[in-house]
Amino acid sequence: MDKESSRQQIAELVEKFASQSQSYEDPGYNESQTRQDFVNPFFKALGWDIDNEQGHSEVYRDVVYEARVQIDGAAKAPDYTFRLGSEKIRLFFVEAKKPGIHLGKTKEPAYQLRRYAWSSNLPVSILTNFKEFAVYDCRHEPNVNDPPDKTRVAYFTYQNYTGGKFGLIEYEDCFDFLWNTFARENIPKGNLDKFVQSDQFEKGYVTVDQKFLLLIEDWRMLLAQSICRNNPDITAEDLNFVVQQTIDRLVFLRIAEDRRIEPYGNVQRAAATSGTDECYKKLFTLFERADEKYNSGLFNFNTDKVSGGITIKNNVIKDIVKNLYYPSPYDFSAIPVEIMGNIYEHFLGKTIRLTPEHNAVVEEKPEVKKAGGVYYTPQYIVDYIVQNTVGRLIEYKTPKEVTKIKIVDPACGSGSFLLGAYQFLLDWHQDYYQKHCEPSKGRKTDLLTPSGKLTASEKKRILCNNIFGVDIDMIAAEITKWSLLVKGMEGETEASIQTSLLYKERILPNIDSNICVGNSLVDTDIYDSGDFGDERTIKPFHWQRAFPKVFEQGGFDAVIGNPPYVSIRTTDFNVLTKPYFKEHYQLATGQYDIYALFVERAEKLLQDGGLNGFIMPKRMTTNENFQPLRKFYLSKLRIESYVDAGTPFKQASVEANIIIASKSKNTRIKVCRFDKANELQFIQKINIKTADSMPFSIFPFLLRKETLQIIKKIQECRYAELGDFCTITRGFECGFNHPLISKKKSKYKMIRGENIKRYLITEGGYYVQPDFDGDPQVFKTKDIFLKTPKLVTKFVSNKIEFAVDTFGYYNTNVVYNVHINDKIDLHFLLGILNSPAVNFWFKNIYVNDDTLFPHIQKNQLASIPIPLLDLSDKTGKKTYGDIVRSVEQLLQSYAAKEGVILSERKRIEDKIAHYENKINEIVYQLYG
């Protein structure tokens, strides 16, 4: 559809409406007729496949049409959901009303639309009756008393559809705005995103996940205090469990009500009871009925012996339930399970502790506090990992073959990766059955419902067959189960549930044996270690006993997730497991991080040909501490694709990368990166041998082909490493805030990193009274500083800058002191080290794009390749001497440059440039 054809078709609709506007505005003309006569053709004219003429399966169609009606006061979904078909990304809703309703003056339709869109986390949506067209900013929390123009960013009537101004000066007219912003062909160009980011949209909004998180945190506090006060014998573990279960059960039932699976208002009616503690008793009756209906572990009171025996006061239940119903802004049929996962991920960051006085206190978990917060994995990251593991595994297979595929997240948290995998499998099966199976005939064995959706029994089968997870946190495991069960309930109706019950099938499966509580890294053989501490804290876990059928077929096919980032250096790390790790994991060496052990665990869990997809901190690609992990990836768990993920975690500056690896003999690595719009950009394919040849086995995947060629040339020359010619020592183990360091003058001068430039040291006015005898751990030995001449360079930097210290300056640990042995001339080394060639090599080998932690490690410095010259050869001797003499001239010139007049300064700078160029040309030749 081109722009002018679109304008013409909309003009014809406008003429049609104008010719009989009175009859269209008559109360008898209803919404269904409005959609058929005007709204559908209007969006067809903008290029949308409203009627699915392309024949896409339900999963991939552009526009999802909602024909359900309001039941028992529960708000229905908007009439249309517009999506980008292949990616299934929801863009905006359209709610259609009949022309007889004045949208510019009636507040209820606007609130209804905004409530649904806000709950769905969509930034913009449309309200129209064709006579009027209103666009709303839906990022702001709606209120039932809001006027109809609240957060409305565009409004006009049908007379303006093909022309006329309406307040947005960057557009020529209304049609220009409609076409550029909402036409199907312009969505991929980012026009809708640009509109949302424009000045029309107010800043400072609170998203549904942020708001609901605050709400359930309040509930946790209310429940914890009430249960603690009225149940004096309860333990902290049981208290955490029962509070979480109560919240989960309430939200689950409200979701079921808003999806019209449960009668609307059940929970509300239970909470309307009078008395002091009758509300919870009535609620518990609802929970027991739910167990009969759903068979979910969420309502399994054979294992939960706590919830049925507690007392919660009425006022607490009433306070909670009033926030669950209209006019509350939350529409539980609209909030995606993935957003609920985000909410719960942050909710998991805190725990309830009992004080000695038996009071309940909610506080941040120590490990979360240490990590600086909870990092929820964005959906596009989850989708990429799932697509490139699960998606590859099921390609060209039949459902029977897919049954054998087993997927696990060994640190599942709130279940975001397992949710992504489950959704992917549901979509794949539904699409497959629609193409290959006969329509439903109302039989128990049917795989699809009459509307073409997966039956409840098929969704249960997929979940139980394919999805597995483990987490050390019991509450996390419960939330994962909750999320998967809610996902499995999507699309169900009261009728479909009655059909299942007719066949004496409960709606949901019990997945307690799929999602387990335990320590993925510690097996039960730790019991042989004797006194290893509190097993309730360590929670040993035996994989083979937990999932016997999986290991009967050789192990898991996919291990996916976001393993915890916990350094072994962490002071509050459970020291009792460190000896176990050292004995059982080859990667438990040096200053390792727990995610490295998860990679090793993944390799053990996978069967041959299986795939592992993890997102991890980017520093593992270059940091010397992670050399064993990189070697492991290059030898045992071979990398198939590498993605630079930038800084994907909100409120955290952690740079991350995604690694997809397999137990195969892959030799070519696909390298990509996510851009600022989270779109995947292909960079190159690289041979795995390239990484094998790098110092410390660093990952050079993001380096351009030309850069890699230059690095290869440098490393192919005849060289020795810098460490062969010197000893490298950092200065005092303290900062400049040490009491013995000040600006009070003395003979003991100090320099900082900022005082070191190429070939030059400046004085910063700091002095020290070093205590070499009384505090040798801090001040070390005076020879480090006073033995001259020596080279000095910075610890905190992203480039190499060396200078000669002939004075004997003292310094702290932000400076390296480099003492040269008699195998080489100091000036020759200085010229090599300050050359652009060495900086190019070093920056690309070790620094890459890392701007957050530009620290130069000692081993990195020591590995710099220094070209070797044959001094018995006349040419070699001359080259060596040319560099030495040029560096001596440079040192004199840099020193002379300070404090001279401008005209003289220019002469010296020309001299410096001459010798710099001379050295560089020689060095380039030495490196080939």
Side-chain angles (χ1 to χ4, degrees), residues 40-289:
N40 288 5
F42 180 88
F43 283 99
K44 280 184 186 179
L46 291 175
W48 292 96
D49 187 8
I50 292 285
D51 298 324
N52 194 25
E53 293 175 5
Q54 295 182 44
H56 290 310
S57 67
E58 185 71 17
V59 173
Y60 298 109
R61 60 185 300 168
D62 274 358
V63 182
V64 177
Y65 178 65
E66 177 61 65
R68 293 179 297 187
V69 296
Q70 188 164 324
I71 298 176
D72 294 336
K76 72 177 184 67
D79 298 292
Y80 307 87
T81 302
F82 286 73
R83 314 184 301 179
L84 279 182
S86 60
E87 297 89 355
K88 300 172 290 178
I89 298 171
R90 293 196 297 184
L91 303 167
F92 56 88
F93 296 132
V94 172
E95 175 66 14
K97 297 297 180 185
K98 61 183 182 179
I101 296 176
H102 195 327
L103 302 183
K105 294 183 178 179
T106 311
K107 62 183 182 181
E108 178 58 31
Y111 177 68
Q112 180 183 332
L113 174 75
R114 289 178 56 211
R115 183 173 183 254
Y116 202 89
W118 182 72
S119 295
S120 301
N121 229 16
L122 290 186
V124 64
S125 283
I126 295 167
L127 179 64
T128 186
N129 57 9
F130 189 76
K131 180 184 175 183
E132 301 164 273
F133 189 97
V135 183
Y136 284 90
D137 175 358
C138 298
R139 298 175 301 179
H140 299 265
E141 181 184 347
N143 185 293
V144 70
N145 296 315
D146 286 342
D149 61 349
K150 182 76 172 179
T151 76
R152 196 169 65 195
V153 291
Y155 173 82
F156 42 90
T157 60
Y158 73 100
Q159 293 98 333
N160 300 120
Y161 283 161
T162 56
K165 289 283 186 181
F166 69 105
L168 293 179
I169 58 174
E170 65 267 35
Y171 296 102
E172 293 178 7
D173 56 30
C174 291
F175 179 77
D176 187 45
F177 164 71
L178 287 169
W179 176 260
N180 280 284
T181 310
F182 296 108
R184 173 65 178 82
E185 70 176 59
N186 288 323
I187 295 294
K189 298 175 184 176
N191 289 9
L192 180 61
D193 294 331
K194 291 174 187 173
F195 176 56
V196 170
Q197 293 160 12
S198 70
D199 293 339
Q200 297 291 124
F201 288 73
E202 295 180 13
K203 311 301 183 222
Y205 54 88
V206 179
T207 59
V208 66
D209 51 328
Q210 294 168 332
K211 187 75 176 180
F212 195 66
L213 173 62
L214 294 174
L215 185 63
I216 63 173
E217 283 182 337
D218 286 344
W219 295 351
R220 172 165 54 191
M221 193 72 254
L222 285 170
L223 287 167
Q225 290 175 340
S226 179
I227 295 170
C228 185
R229 192 179 304 119
N230 295 286
N231 304 271
D233 296 329
I234 198 164
T235 64
E237 185 177 16
D238 285 347
L239 180 61
N240 274 280
F241 173 79
V242 76
V243 166
Q244 185 66 54
Q245 289 291 84
T246 302
I247 293 172
D248 288 352
R249 288 161 182 165
L250 283 169
V251 176
F252 180 92
L253 290 176
R254 275 297 291 118
I255 290 173
E257 288 183 13
D258 272 1
R259 291 181 181 175
R260 290 172 288 284
I261 296 171
E262 289 286 322
Y264 184 82
N266 262 3
V267 172
Q268 192 175 42
R269 286 186 286 274
T273 308
S274 58
T276 57
D277 54 12
E278 293 299 310
C279 289
Y280 181 72
K281 292 178 182 177
K282 287 288 184 71
L283 279 179
F284 194 77
T285 302
L286 281 184
F287 297 160
E288 289 178 311
R289 287 184 201 157

